[in-house]
């Protein structure tokens, strides 16, 4: 996806600017052929300059808008790992 297409997609979202920022950042991280990103909410929040709660709220908002899929991940012993975000 080229930059112009990505910016038009983000501009067309009916969501707050912080949700658009997260979506564009996740698209950039996903890169070319890969449609998924594995990152913790803490690191994602730090990267875009939002609080953890605002990041979590906006990720769930993007999920409800069907722009991303959120897949929880667990280690073999049942410990929690970073989520995987699937770009749609």
């Amino acid at each position: 996806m080229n930059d112009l297409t990505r910016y038009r997609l983000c501009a067309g979202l009916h969501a707050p600017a912080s949700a658009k920022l997260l979506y564009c950042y996740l698209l950039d991280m996903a890169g070319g052929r890969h449609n998924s990103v594995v990152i913790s909410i803490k690191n994602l929040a730090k990267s875009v300059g939002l609080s953890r709660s605002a990041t979590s709220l906006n990720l769930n908002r993007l999920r409800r808008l069907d722009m991303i899929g959120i897949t929880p991940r667990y280690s073999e012993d049942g410990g929690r790992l970073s989520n995987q975000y699937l770009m749609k």
Side-chain angles (χ1 to χ4, degrees):
M1 177 182 309
N2 66 29
D3 289 341
L4 183 59
T5 304
R6 185 171 54 246
Y7 297 144
R8 285 185 179 165
L9 177 66
C10 289
L13 283 176
H14 297 291
S18 53
K20 292 178 184 183
L21 173 67
L22 280 173
Y23 186 69
C24 287
Y25 185 76
L26 288 171
L27 279 176
D28 285 343
M29 286 188 65
R33 296 179 3 185
H34 304 290
N35 289 332
S36 67
V37 176
V38 175
I39 188 170
S40 69
I41 291 178
K42 177 183 174 183
N43 288 335
L44 184 57
K46 185 177 178 181
S47 296
V48 296
L50 296 173
S51 69
R52 289 179 67 175
S53 61
T55 301
S56 181
L57 175 82
N58 284 301
L59 286 170
N60 285 316
R61 182 176 283 142
L62 289 170
R63 182 184 48 77
R64 284 191 311 272
L65 290 171
D66 202 32
M67 298 301 294
I68 64 172
I70 302 174
T71 306
R73 296 181 329 126
Y74 300 93
S75 64
E76 290 182 13
D77 64 352
R80 191 81 160 96
L81 299 173
S82 299
N83 287 338
Q84 179 177 21
Y85 301 98
L86 304 169
M87 310 308 294
K88 297 182 180 181

